[in-house]
Amino acid sequence: MQEFPQLVIGLGTGRCGTQSLAVLLNHQSGARVTHERYGAIAWQGDEQRVAAFVHLCATAPGLDLAGDVGFYYLPYVEQILELVASTRFVCLKRDRQATVHSYLTKTRHKNHWIQHDGSEWRFDAWDRCYPKYAVTDKAEAIGMYWDEYYSRAAALES
């Protein structure tokens, strides 16, 4: 057993297998990896919550592997690496159209990707976790999110 656990963060737009990734990682010996345990982390401005989560995972006693899988960590990758340089990231990628379709089905009365007043779409705690796009079509906004997500993820690869 190592002194501190290896920190692992799972990424992906959501609707792409992140929950399965968390289950797989959590089944490793000496691991505690959750799925969106620290839910509703804002797409911007939640650096203190992310730092607290990283500290909690990185100092977990008796573990070899600790972490969480959640789409909302992408904007914080550089911050997480500054806090724990040895962090490993796994990014899942599902086909764009399949992802858009899955989100449309799952979020029928919600729209996390467009700024709204609550008259057409229900407000939801997860609204703050996604970037917003200046379009009116929900499917188009989800597609733009997919494009931005994987463009940003590709830029972070090394």
Side-chain angles (χ1 to χ4, degrees), residues 5-110:
Q6 170 64 57
L7 180 61
V8 64
I9 304 295
L11 304 169
T13 56
R15 313 309 305 155
C16 63
T18 54
Q19 191 166 22
S20 296
L21 175 62
V23 169
L24 174 73
L25 291 171
N26 199 46
H27 275 84
Q28 307 310 303
S29 178
R32 185 182 313 131
V33 179
T34 54
H35 180 257
E36 298 176 356
R37 179 177 177 196
Y38 305 93
I41 290 177
W43 191 253
Q44 296 176 323
D46 251 349
E47 290 81 6
Q48 288 183 331
R49 284 188 67 203
V50 171
F53 147 74
V54 168
H55 177 75
L56 184 68
C57 287
T59 59
L63 295 175
D64 293 322
L65 182 70
D68 192 42
V69 180
F71 66 92
Y72 41 67
Y73 292 115
L74 182 67
Y76 301 100
V77 165
E78 291 171 329
Q79 176 195 355
I80 293 168
L81 285 171
E82 286 177 16
L83 296 168
V84 181
S86 63
T87 302
R88 297 292 178 238
F89 296 90
V90 178
C91 186
L92 300 180
K93 185 176 184 180
R94 183 179 186 186
D95 172 77
R96 186 182 194 270
Q97 271 314 109
T99 304
V100 171
H101 177 73
S102 182
Y103 263 125
L104 287 172
T105 301
K106 181 178 176 160
T107 63
R108 267 180 90 190
H109 304 291
K110 303 171 193 170

